[in-house]
Amino acid sequence: MGRMTRRVFAAAALSALAMTGDGASAAPRRPGGGPRASGEARGAAGGAVTDEMRGVWLATVANRDWPSRTGLSAAEQRAELIALLDATVRRRLNTVIFQVRPAADALWPSPYEPWSQVLTGTQGGDPGWDPLGTAVAEAHARGLELHAWFNPLRVATHADLTRLTPTHPARRNPGWVVTYAGKLYYNPGLPEVRTFVRTAMLDAVEKYPVDAVHFDDYFYPYPVPGHSFDDDAAYDAHGGDFTNRADWRRDNIDRLVHGMATGIREVRPGTRFGISPFGVWRNAETDPRGSDTKALQTYDDLYADTRKWVRQNWVDYICPQLYWHIGFAAADYATLVPWWAKTARGTGTRLYFGEALYKAGDPAQPAAWQDPAELSRHLTLASRYPEAGGHVFFAAEEVVADPYGALARVIADHYQ
């Protein structure tokens, strides 16, 4: 299967933002137990000894970062994974955010969902080893934290239920699924869906000593012109006293997030919960509490009230994806960093920033991204704000290759 960049599989997000030449892709703290800064408990085996988040996203959807292709032997898959962990240490990073549930499937032996097809090429095909269990053990042996990254609602990047393995929960419960813009999603408006996905994800937390659970930016799907998310029946059945569907949808996502936070505390106390949302909550022209931006809004377009989760401390950390350069008119990195710092101030929720390493040197990106120092300037700017606790880079393939030297510049300027 061909490689898929973040920009490709988030195309809906890219087109939704006001375009000015820069393709734009684009917690309440977990009840009980204070947040632990990333890296505090690691370092003995080579990982960077610091309480600063220095993370990398390791994406598996469509074989983006790992495995390099489907059908590799267990030994080859394991060797590639180990090489990525070793590269993380060499780059002086301390945290790997490993995508273990890319699309209602699993990279561990789950009793609830099938093995991911990214391993063998066939959904449900046993790879002959345990990728998540190995990743946790090998990351910890190297002084790295391992955050288990789940996409909670995506079922498939196609629209054909019959292509799923016959035992897939979505095929057994087709009423749980909504087809939207050529893809399949679980409907978060159904209480039974929220219960199921929570149970399926918590299975990994119960089995493995992961340092954190991580959700990405996908809640209700990114808006695609000409398409609507058909949840009429669910709204009729469960809308209750809500006077509009948008508030009901936000409540569904609130329930999903808060329920997961509570479940993590019950299953493995001390494991943290973090979310990496799209970087704009609301624009100031929509809400005076919003940022001075003109972009897609998680509150209105994805029905994810990310500011609420921070202010009410449902999550241990928030890592907004600020995939834009300094000076970008629609969503300026230099505008969003202080907005998020103010939002997190006094909450107890740790604040990290998602960085678009994949854009560095890309000829399709504006001039700012042709300068290898752009990302280093991001870290310099963020360091002015005490709430800023570190950065996470997208993604592992670029961390390893660093073809334009952008990460090398970050390391030289900030990680010595």
Side-chain angles (χ1 to χ4, degrees), residues 36-40 42 47-48 50-58 84-85 88-89 92-98 139 142-148 211-212 214 272 317 352 391-393 399:
R36 176 166 60 84
S38 181
E40 284 182 358
R42 305 292 173 208
T50 175
D51 64 358
E52 175 187 21
M53 166 64 86
R54 301 178 180 180
V56 56
W57 278 291
L58 200 171
L84 288 170
L85 297 178
T88 300
V89 173
R92 301 189 62 78
L93 306 181
N94 59 23
T95 302
V96 174
I97 301 176
F98 182 32
R142 287 160 175 76
L144 300 168
E145 289 200 359
L146 197 290
H147 295 198
D211 296 288
H214 186 92
R272 285 161 292 141
Y317 71 81
Y352 312 131
H391 304 260
V392 181
F393 300 94
V399 163

Side-chain angles (χ1 to χ4, degrees), residues 345-366:
R345 190 168 300 147
T347 64
T349 300
R350 298 279 293 185
L351 174 63
Y352 312 131
F353 296 114
E355 302 288 349
L357 178 61
Y358 72 96
K359 285 187 175 181
D362 182 348
Q365 298 297 332

Side-chain angles (χ1 to χ4, degrees), residues 164-181:
L164 304 178
T165 187
T167 58
H168 196 291
R171 287 193 66 175
R172 291 179 168 179
N173 302 277
W176 290 3
V177 180
V178 175
T179 302
Y180 178 83

Side-chain angles (χ1 to χ4, degrees), residues 362-376:
D362 182 348
Q365 298 297 332
W369 291 106
Q370 311 312 313
D371 183 351
E374 174 67 19
L375 284 180
S376 181

